[in-house]
């Protein structure tokens, strides 16, 4: 097997084997991009200099997840796979619901001298506890902000993430599932996304489902052909150029074309960058979850109006980091230790040999 730094013979998957890579650092960057985009939109409303920055970051999250989750699924059966996925996303999700209902929202009521509806807080936690968010605010709060009645905007993506874990977890176990099938699913999702965003077809079908699952499917496909992916900087530059060009020219074109090149570019960076931030302590998920309610509270407290947009963005990251760190230490890492309650055991999901699903040309 080639080793890192061995030159042109090296394949991309070598740098992604095990935990010695920069993928967690990239997810930390993507979470920070979401916070920075919200730092503008939460104060001024939709738009801004980079209105799709947060959406782009979420696309990147799904692309990386598709690659990593497929590898996880092929190493274990469905029960331990789902148990580990639930442990990774649900406890911290419950924690942010409680943190919002018991800390952030009451403090905002205190600042505005408003009565706090504790019964509504209970409904906010219980009704939203199953990774869907039918209740967005608590008793009408937050008040006096551009996005009134919304305490945590990013939570909607978790429904699609959990759905992708289940859907692709089942598909990967099907006999003969491999690169060809994954590529067909990716093409189908990209076509559906283009029809919905470009032509407005099937308006009753949530377009974000096809959009986010297309990026997830790109990661799935790259996992199946990982041993054939060269660790070429020129390919990475070309992929990044395609993504950048599409973003700059047309949003629908980006959604149709970008999933595969974006996934490749991010995986290349994960394999090649010498960044190991988050390898042991991954606070990216906590940043993503806790930033929005903290930002809403800061706006209510007048912080954004006092310091301006740039410093508000800096403070948003700085204030969220220790909260995300606490989430990791007190909730996420202890929860992951429970994974042994459902041992991997048994036989892992069979994977069709690479030569069968993606023969050399």
């Amino acid at each position: 097997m080639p080793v890192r730094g061995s030159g042109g013979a090296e394949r991309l998957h070598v740098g992604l084997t095990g935990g010695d890579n920069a993928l967690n650092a990239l997810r930390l960057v993507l979470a920070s991009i979401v916070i920075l985009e919200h730092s503008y939109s939460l104060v001024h409303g939709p738009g801004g200099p980079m209105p799709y920055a947060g959406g782009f970051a979420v696309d990147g999250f799904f692309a990386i997840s598709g690659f990593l989750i497929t590898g996880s699924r092929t190493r274990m059966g469905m029960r331990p796979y789902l148990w580990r996925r639930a442990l990774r996303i649900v406890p911290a999700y419950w924690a942010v619901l409680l943190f919002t209902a018991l800390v952030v929202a009451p403090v905002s009521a205190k600042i505005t001298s408003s009565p706090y509806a504790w019964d509504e807080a209970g409904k906010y936690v219980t009704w939203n506890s199953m990774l869907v968010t039918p209740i967005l605010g608590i008793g009408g709060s937050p008040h006096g902000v551009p996005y009134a009645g919304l305490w945590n905007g990013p939570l909607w993506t978790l429904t699609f993430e959990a759905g992708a874990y289940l859907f692709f977890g089942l598909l990967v176990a099907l006999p003969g599932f491999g690169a060809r099938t994954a590529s067909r699913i990716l093409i189908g999702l990209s076509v559906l996304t283009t029809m919905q965003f470009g032509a407005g077809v099937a308006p009753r079908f949530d377009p974000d489902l096809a959009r986010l699952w297309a990026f997830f499917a790109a990661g799935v496909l790259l996992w199946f052909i990982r041993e054939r992916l060269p660790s070429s900087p020129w390919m990475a530059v070309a992929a990044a150029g395609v993504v950048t060009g599409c973003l700059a020219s047309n949003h629908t074109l980006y959604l149709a074309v970008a999933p595969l090149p974006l996934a490749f570019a991010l995986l290349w960076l994960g394999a090649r960058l010498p960044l190991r931030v988050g390898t042991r302590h991954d606070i990216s998920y906590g940043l993503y979850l806790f930033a929005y309610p903290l930002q809403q509270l800061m706006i209510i407290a007048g912080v954004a109006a006092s310091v301006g947009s740039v410093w508000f963005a800096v403070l948003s990251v700085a204030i969220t980091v220790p909260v995300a760190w606490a989430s990791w230490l007190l909730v996420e890492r202890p929860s992951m230790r429970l994974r042994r309650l459902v041992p991997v055991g048994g036989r892992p999901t069979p994977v069709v040999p690479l030569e069968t699903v993606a023969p050399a040309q």
Side-chain angles (χ1 to χ4, degrees), residues 21 46 55 71 85 96 115 153 160 167 179 188-189 206 208 221 226 236 248-249 282 299 351:
N21 55 62
R85 292 303 91 221
V96 77
F160 297 111
F167 178 73
L189 289 169
D206 193 326
D208 285 311
L221 172 58
R226 65 197 182 284
S249 60
D282 182 10
I299 295 170
V351 179

Side-chain angles (χ1 to χ4, degrees), residues 30 33-34 36-38 47 49-59 247:
L30 294 173
I33 291 174
V34 172
L36 296 178
E37 191 274 324
H38 288 159
M50 298 181 67
Y52 194 68
F56 168 80
V58 173
D59 296 339
L247 273 174

Side-chain angles (χ1 to χ4, degrees), residues 23-273:
L23 289 179
N24 281 349
L26 286 178
R27 289 193 286 202
L28 194 63
V29 171
L30 294 173
S32 300
I33 291 174
V34 172
I35 297 175
L36 296 178
E37 191 274 324
H38 288 159
S39 297
Y40 183 94
S41 62
L42 284 174
V43 176
H44 303 287
M50 298 181 67
Y52 194 68
F56 168 80
V58 173
D59 296 339
F61 272 125
F62 272 73
I64 293 174
S65 290
F67 183 87
L68 295 177
I69 296 309
T70 304
S72 174
R73 176 66 178 98
T74 56
R75 291 192 298 270
M76 63 189 70
M78 194 65 173
R79 284 184 66 248
Y81 162 78
L82 290 178
W83 175 243
R84 282 157 175 75
R85 292 303 91 221
L87 289 176
R88 187 64 188 97
I89 65 174
V90 173
Y93 172 77
W94 287 344
V96 77
L97 293 179
L98 290 169
F99 179 72
T100 303
L102 301 180
V103 179
V104 175
V107 170
S108 75
K110 190 72 172 178
I111 292 172
T112 59
S113 300
S114 303
Y116 186 59
W118 288 100
D119 57 333
E120 294 297 323
K123 292 179 182 178
Y124 176 82
V125 174
T126 55
W127 283 68
N128 293 339
S129 62
M130 299 305 293
L131 291 178
V132 293
T133 52
I135 299 179
L136 303 179
I138 300 175
S141 69
H143 304 285
V145 293
Y147 288 91
L150 177 62
W151 271 119
N152 204 331
L155 295 186
W156 67 270
T157 64
L158 299 184
T159 304
F160 297 111
E161 183 176 1
Y165 292 164
L166 178 60
F167 178 73
F168 286 94
L170 291 170
L171 283 183
V172 168
L174 294 177
F177 186 92
R180 285 197 182 115
T181 309
S183 64
R184 291 179 185 129
I185 292 173
L186 171 58
I187 292 171
L189 289 169
S190 296
V191 169
L192 181 57
T193 303
T194 304
M195 293 170 60
Q196 290 179 300
F197 281 91
V201 177
R204 294 183 181 179
F205 185 86
D206 193 326
D208 285 311
L209 175 65
R211 164 206 152 197
L212 295 176
W213 282 18
F215 286 92
F216 196 96
V220 174
L221 172 58
L222 291 184
W223 189 89
F224 277 101
I225 62 172
R226 65 197 182 284
E227 295 178 8
R228 297 188 182 279
L229 295 175
S231 185
S232 165
W234 298 112
M235 284 187 63
V237 169
V242 169
V243 174
T244 304
C246 291
L247 273 174
S249 60
N250 185 276
H251 181 60
T252 302
L253 179 63
Y254 161 80
L255 294 177
V257 175
L260 202 58
L262 177 60
F264 177 83
L266 290 174
L267 292 176
W268 186 91
L269 290 172
R272 304 299 294 180
L273 289 180

